[in-house]
Amino acid sequence: MTTKNLSAVLRRKGELVLENRPVPEPLPHEVLISIHTVGICGSDVHYWKHGEIGDFIVKEPMILGHESSGTVVKTGNQVKHLKPGDRVCIEPGVPCRRCEFCLEGRYNLCPDIQFCATPPVDGSLRQFYCHDAAFCYKLPDNVSLEEGALMEPLSVAVHACRRSQVTAGKSVLICGAGPIGLVNLLTCKAMGATRVCITDISENRLDVAKKLGATYQLNVKDLDSKTAVTQIKSLIGGPPDVTIECSGAESSIKLALLVTKSGGVVMCVGLGAPEIKIPIIEASVREVDIKGIFRYANCYPTAIGLVSSGALDVKPLITHHFNLENMLKAFETSASGAGGAIKVLIHCSE
């Protein structure tokens, strides 16, 4: 076994370096994985640029990365469903499995969850990584390791669509055509939404959304709320049944509450300022349900099934590939959106 384990370590805000860390030994319930692909998430970039997200503050050096796939190279003696050579994607959160939330099946709300690359827990952007085998999912033969790394953001979309009850025949508005907005678009289409309108302030992102199957696209950069509401209703043929808000911008959340059908759902996925001003009476008197999501629970098998069956294709989201040695350039590309970057992948085993 090699002793080389190059790892992307955030030493402090703005200082991201490669370090050789020890190759870990799996505990009885864990597997050791040779990491193949890691996708860069907005949270990784945010920790790099700012050193914190809300109450999660980088106080000690931390390995980044949580959108990962790879090949099992060693298993703990309690692991029965995986063996060396199995290709897996990794669900990055490991809950306690004993609290009320875990026992209810809502383990994403577990107060003691250990989540990759969330301080103080190290992430998986490294060559070798150990993870609880119960949260490693074997990939079907027709799903690549690159696609496997995208099961994490796709699970966010699956969770959002489930909680907002996106079903066949419904109309959906998606606010924001970034990576999460686009995986929600793909998931809505796969779950049977017949009219999907997507908004953004970037014409390039709206062009991508159109290619991915958005029925309607609307640039809201220079529109006030009233005009945007009118134009969205005109495009869709009425108010959307569900709005999935993926930008986190106050103006966009306000628009979502104003435009959604009475009795409909606004699903808040994007994270912005901790406090914002919203038209709450408008939502209350029309019984518009405001919901949020925190990551996902029990979504990975569905995400894998959607891709394996051909119900949706995540490959068009992948725009850039880098090896681990060029990790900084990968982060800079993801942060700037250079070259139309949507999902930037880092390959750790090359």
Side-chain angles (χ1 to χ4, degrees), residues 4-9 18-25 32-38 62-66 68-70 90 116-117 120-131 324 327 346-349:
K4 184 181 174 187
N5 187 17
L6 284 180
S7 307
V9 180
L18 282 178
E19 290 182 5
N20 190 31
R21 293 288 185 92
V23 176
E25 186 70 19
L32 175 64
I33 299 164
S34 172
I35 296 292
H36 183 276
T37 303
V38 180
M62 179 182 77
I63 299 173
L64 292 176
H66 63 268
S68 304
S69 65
I90 302 165
C116 285
V121 181
D122 280 328
S124 50
L125 183 45
R126 43 179 144 169
Q127 292 175 306
F128 291 95
Y129 170 68
C130 282
H131 199 70
L324 192 53
M327 166 266 300
I346 297 176
H347 299 286
C348 300
S349 56

Side-chain angles (χ1 to χ4, degrees), residues 37-339:
T37 303
V38 180
I40 298 178
C41 174
S43 66
D44 294 314
V45 173
H46 200 88
Y47 280 125
W48 171 47
K49 293 282 191 181
H50 303 283
E52 60 185 47
I53 297 177
D55 294 333
F56 297 107
I57 301 167
V58 178
K59 297 177 180 177
E60 301 289 337
M62 179 182 77
I63 299 173
L64 292 176
H66 63 268
E67 301 179 2
S68 304
S69 65
T71 303
V72 175
V73 292
K74 191 174 184 180
T75 63
N77 59 23
Q78 294 176 5
V79 178
K80 306 300 181 189
H81 71 292
L82 294 172
K83 64 184 185 305
D86 284 344
R87 300 176 318 120
V88 296
C89 59
I90 302 165
E91 181 171 353
V94 180
C96 76
R97 286 169 275 192
R98 291 180 296 276
C99 70
E100 61 174 309
F101 300 106
C102 288
L103 295 175
E104 289 173 357
R106 302 183 71 179
Y107 60 82
N108 57 315
L109 303 179
C110 172
D112 296 318
I113 195 166
Q114 299 288 296
F115 198 90
C116 285
T118 299
V121 181
D122 280 328
S124 50
L125 183 45
R126 43 179 144 169
Q127 292 175 306
F128 291 95
Y129 170 68
C130 282
H131 199 70
D132 191 314
F135 294 90
C136 296
Y137 299 88
K138 189 173 177 180
L139 292 172
D141 292 341
N142 67 341
V143 178
S144 69
L145 285 162
E146 287 81 5
E147 291 170 298
L150 267 72
M151 293 306 101
E152 200 277 343
L154 183 54
S155 290
V156 172
V158 169
H159 192 47
C161 288
R162 281 180 175 171
R163 272 184 55 76
S164 55
Q165 297 176 311
V166 174
T167 52
K170 285 197 174 179
S171 60
V172 181
L173 171 66
I174 297 173
C175 300
I180 290 297
L182 294 175
V183 289
N184 271 282
L185 164 62
L186 294 173
T187 306
C188 286
K189 299 284 286 186
M191 291 186 170
T194 47
R195 288 163 293 154
V196 182
C197 179
I198 192 161
T199 64
D200 204 281
I201 58 174
S202 163
E203 207 61 48
N204 289 336
R205 286 185 167 186
L206 292 173
D207 288 342
V208 173
K210 184 176 182 179
K211 290 173 185 172
L212 292 176
T215 327
Y216 315 103
Q217 310 84 42
L218 180 64
N219 192 321
V220 293
K221 185 175 182 180
D222 299 315
L223 301 182
D224 58 54
S225 295
K226 187 175 180 181
T227 305
V229 167
T230 300
Q231 292 195 21
I232 290 164
K233 288 181 178 179
S234 176
L235 287 169
I236 295 177
D241 300 305
V242 174
T243 297
I244 302 176
E245 206 299 306
C246 299
S247 75
E250 181 173 320
S251 60
S252 187
I253 297 169
K254 179 181 178 182
L255 170 62
L257 293 173
L258 294 173
V259 75
T260 302
K261 182 179 180 179
S262 296
V265 177
V266 170
M267 175 55 60
C268 296
V269 179
L271 296 177
E275 293 186 11
I276 60 170
K277 191 175 180 180
I278 60 170
I280 191 65
I281 298 299
E282 172 75 23
S284 297
V285 299
R286 295 194 300 107
E287 294 192 2
V288 175
D289 292 343
I290 305 169
K291 293 185 176 183
I293 66 162
F294 186 58
R295 298 168 182 158
Y296 34 72
N298 306 300
C299 292
Y300 263 66
T302 299
I304 294 167
L306 286 169
V307 172
S308 178
S309 69
L312 63 77
D313 183 6
V314 293
K315 292 191 291 292
L317 299 175
I318 302 169
T319 54
H320 291 74
H321 299 263
F322 293 88
N323 59 27
L324 192 53
E325 284 74 13
N326 291 313
M327 166 266 300
L328 265 179
K329 189 174 180 184
F331 269 78
E332 287 163 0
T333 301
S334 182
S336 67

